[in-house]
Amino acid sequence: MILGLHLAYWQTSVIRSLGVLVAVLLPAGTFVYIFLFKMVSFMQSRLGPMEAGPYGSMQLLAEVGKFIQKEDIVPDNADRRLFKLAPYLVVATVLLVYLVVPFGPKMRFVNFDGGIFYALAVSSISALGVLIAGWASANKYSLMGGLRAAGQLIAYELPMVLAVVGVVIQAGTMNLSGIVAAQANGKMFGFGGLGNPYFITQFVGMVIFLIAVQAELTQTPFDMPIAESELVTGYITEYSGMRFLLFFIAEFAAVGSFAAVAATLFMGGWAVPGIKFDSGVMNVLGPIVLMAKMTLIAGVIFFVRFTYPRFREDQLQKFAWTILIPVALANILVTTVLKVAF
Amino acid sequence: MSAFLREYLTVAIFTGVAFGLLAGVLSVGKLIRPVRPQAEKYFNYESGVDAVGTGWVQSPIRYYVFALLFVMFDVEAVFIFPWATQLEIYGWFGAVEMGIFIVLLALGLLYAWRKGVLRWT
């Protein structure tokens, strides 16, 4: 029941879906403005956009307005249907990740028992969209970029999944709300004042997870799929206008979704130490707290992106298979022993 | 309908809404964007010159062995997750059991490493 109206299940679902879409696009737009337009500008001793709105804050709207007016171009040689499908896949899967992230004790969309499994599974579908985009463009640069993206996903999906295992061992559940609860009510070696945020007790896991996220998002130093000095712009070479904008939005929405998952797994999600974990206040305060934590993690992701040069393609694979995966496996073993011993 | 299936229904509805919204976003530009077809616009981009051959060229991709290794470890992850939620109940028995399992798989990775599969040449 909403506002005294009786609605069928699908009707409330549609309304809530639209709510989630707003909740996704808002942080994505904020990230573009704060990090892409302003932070990088200050890091490079320039002002960034200043004309559209106060301090250029309306720049993003101006950009969208520009892209809407662009001519719709599909290359003659391209596989038309796949070419048009790819942006849908990439954006929709990013949006689907948000469904499992809890924003408060009751502020959640679905409550899967295997929530983290769902998030990891859905988030990797977008690489399929990237592969489709690269293949359907019928362009050598695009194909190369798409294949690189697929290879990168294969290499970095594993450290990510294995890093999450440490959290699941500690929390004893795969449900994301359960993981938040385990962190809020946990104790660090007998001290329970701060709960047990896993960025302290699962520090190795968090570092591996964030590195893998960086690669999964194809942000520099892992941006070989769109490496502009080698591949023009990789899989989006042939895309223009609104379809290009969708890929762009997906990139930043994906940063938001992975930051939300990371904040839930490692930084206590929507909970704050000191305020009772499941009080009604948290339904209002929770989303704000989670957004703050998301922004913090996204800040780290973008800081790295704007600081480091690109890896070479072989270094990327080697780094994943010979460093990240062995360390992640060792992390699982150590966590297991510590969990059983204490 | 059980609550479990109902949540998957929610996911399905959300997917529908997301696709609908994307279709809306993509078609809204139809009202204002220009359509001036010229043959040159629909060529594939290849650094400004006419494209050589087709875009779907055959080239050696070196991800084949990586993909096999990936399958091995991804299946491992499927086994590890359910075990990880139940570790408290299994205690030392579970810890030793999974320790052996992980070490065995790590040996597989070590073998591939020693064979030089992970080198990029």
Side-chain angles (χ1 to χ4, degrees), chain A residues 248-315:
Chain A
F248 183 82
I249 290 174
E251 182 183 341
F252 283 86
V255 173
S257 71
F258 274 112
V261 171
T264 307
L265 287 179
F266 295 104
M267 300 182 75
W270 45 264
V272 210
I275 300 181
K276 199 170 165 302
F277 162 67
D278 48 2
S279 56
V281 185
M282 288 315 291
N283 278 325
V284 183
L285 203 57
I288 303 171
V289 172
L290 188 67
M291 291 279 184
K293 289 174 179 174
M294 272 166 71
T295 314
L296 192 69
I297 291 178
V300 174
I301 291 174
F302 283 109
F303 200 94
V304 172
R305 165 182 172 156
F306 295 130
T307 309
Y308 289 96
R310 187 182 309 135
F311 276 130
R312 226 171 44 219
E313 182 62 15
D314 58 327
Q315 292 170 331

Side-chain angles (χ1 to χ4, degrees), chain A residues 115-117 120 156-176 179 182-183 198 201-210 212 261 265-266 324-340, chain B residues 72-88 94-95 98-99 101-102 105:
Chain A
I116 185 58
F117 225 68
L120 291 172
Y156 283 86
E157 183 72 11
L158 278 177
M160 191 184 226
V161 170
L162 295 178
V164 171
V165 171
V167 171
V168 175
I169 291 175
Q170 279 211 315
T173 171
M174 295 202 281
N175 182 316
L176 283 171
I179 290 174
Q183 291 182 72
Y198 293 152
T201 42
Q202 274 293 326
F203 185 73
V204 180
M206 186 181 81
V207 171
I208 296 170
F209 188 83
L210 285 183
V261 171
L265 287 179
F266 295 104
L324 286 185
I325 291 176
V327 172
L329 288 175
N331 181 45
I332 292 178
L333 290 177
V334 172
T335 310
T336 308
V337 170
L338 286 178
K339 167 90 176 182
V340 176
Chain B
M72 180 177 97
F73 277 94
D74 224 28
V75 172
E76 175 190 10
V78 171
F79 287 112
I80 288 185
F81 269 101
W83 161 84
T85 58
Q86 300 299 325
L87 181 59
E88 203 126 3
M98 194 45 82
F101 183 58
I102 289 175
L105 278 160

Side-chain angles (χ1 to χ4, degrees), chain A residues 9 68-69 71 74 76-77 109 111 117 135 137-141 147 154 238 242 313 321 339, chain B residues 6-7 10 25 32-34 36 41-42 44-47 52 56 61 63 66 70 80-81 88 120:
Chain A
Y9 184 70
I68 286 182
Q69 300 170 50
E71 192 174 344
V74 180
D76 276 336
N77 288 335
F109 205 71
N111 190 22
F117 225 68
W135 173 260
S137 298
N139 180 312
K140 296 180 190 90
Y141 297 120
L147 285 176
I154 280 177
E238 294 290 353
M242 280 312 279
E313 182 62 15
W321 289 102
K339 167 90 176 182
Chain B
R6 184 157 267 222
E7 294 199 322
T10 314
V25 166
I32 42 175
R33 70 182 171 222
R36 301 204 184 84
K41 282 184 186 168
Y42 301 97
N44 276 104
Y45 177 79
E46 212 165 288
S47 311
V52 179
W56 292 305
I61 54 168
Y63 303 121
F66 292 114
F70 173 74
I80 288 185
F81 269 101
E88 203 126 3
W120 190 279

Side-chain angles (χ1 to χ4, degrees), chain A:
Chain A
M1 215 168 90
I2 298 172
L3 302 173
L5 286 170
H6 276 287
L7 296 171
Y9 184 70
W10 69 270
Q11 287 167 320
T12 53
S13 286
V14 168
I15 293 174
R16 286 160 78 200
S17 302
L18 291 173
V20 169
L21 289 175
V22 173
V24 172
L25 295 177
L26 198 69
T30 318
F31 289 167
V32 173
Y33 175 66
I34 296 181
F35 297 120
L36 185 72
F37 287 163
K38 284 302 179 187
M39 188 177 85
V40 68
S41 302
F42 294 151
M43 284 167 81
Q44 297 168 347
S45 301
R46 57 190 173 89
L47 285 174
M50 291 295 283
E51 296 297 328
Y55 296 94
S57 52
M58 298 293 122
Q59 181 68 29
L60 193 61
L61 290 180
E63 304 269 0
V64 173
K66 182 189 79 175
F67 276 113
I68 286 182
Q69 300 170 50
K70 294 282 183 185
E71 192 174 344
D72 183 43
I73 292 180
V74 180
D76 276 336
N77 288 335
D79 189 331
R80 295 185 72 89
R81 261 184 298 176
L82 287 182
F83 187 84
K84 288 181 176 169
L85 174 70
Y88 284 88
L89 264 188
V90 173
V91 181
T93 52
V94 169
L95 298 178
L96 280 173
V97 176
Y98 275 95
L99 286 185
V100 278
V101 177
F103 283 81
K106 291 212 170 59
M107 294 283 287
R108 66 183 168 221
F109 205 71
V110 293
N111 190 22
F112 287 139
D113 280 339
I116 185 58
F117 225 68
Y118 167 89
L120 291 172
V122 167
S123 67
S124 49
I125 298 178
S126 71
L128 197 63
V130 169
L131 191 57
I132 289 178
W135 173 260
S137 298
N139 180 312
K140 296 180 190 90
Y141 297 120
S142 300
L143 182 57
M144 210 89 98
L147 285 176
R148 281 188 182 188
Q152 192 162 323
L153 172 94
I154 280 177
Y156 283 86
E157 183 72 11
L158 278 177
M160 191 184 226
V161 170
L162 295 178
V164 171
V165 171
V167 171
V168 175
I169 291 175
Q170 279 211 315
T173 171
M174 295 202 281
N175 182 316
L176 283 171
S177 296
I179 290 174
V180 172
Q183 291 182 72
N185 301 327
K187 283 193 173 68
M188 275 186 293
F189 305 109
F191 171 69
L194 288 174
N196 182 9
Y198 293 152
F199 71 88
I200 298 174
T201 42
Q202 274 293 326
F203 185 73
V204 180
M206 186 181 81
V207 171
I208 296 170
F209 188 83
L210 285 183
I211 294 174
V213 161
Q214 195 88 13
E216 201 108 327
L217 293 169
T218 66
Q219 302 283 357
T220 332
F222 303 102
D223 66 336
M224 298 79 179
I226 49 170
E228 70 280 350
S229 46
E230 307 164 32
L231 295 180
V232 193
T233 38
Y235 59 90
I236 37 184
T237 305
E238 294 290 353
Y239 283 89
S240 58
M242 280 312 279
R243 293 205 182 86
F244 173 80
L245 185 69
L246 282 187
F247 277 113
F248 183 82
I249 290 174
E251 182 183 341
F252 283 86
V255 173
S257 71
F258 274 112
V261 171
T264 307
L265 287 179
F266 295 104
M267 300 182 75
W270 45 264
V272 210
I275 300 181
K276 199 170 165 302
F277 162 67
D278 48 2
S279 56
V281 185
M282 288 315 291
N283 278 325
V284 183
L285 203 57
I288 303 171
V289 172
L290 188 67
M291 291 279 184
K293 289 174 179 174
M294 272 166 71
T295 314
L296 192 69
I297 291 178
V300 174
I301 291 174
F302 283 109
F303 200 94
V304 172
R305 165 182 172 156
F306 295 130
T307 309
Y308 289 96
R310 187 182 309 135
F311 276 130
R312 226 171 44 219
E313 182 62 15
D314 58 327
Q315 292 170 331
L316 164 105
Q317 295 285 345
K318 201 170 169 166
F319 183 59
W321 289 102
T322 61
I323 298 178
L324 286 185
I325 291 176
V327 172
L329 288 175
N331 181 45
I332 292 178
L333 290 177
V334 172
T335 310
T336 308
V337 170
L338 286 178
K339 167 90 176 182
V340 176
F342 295 105

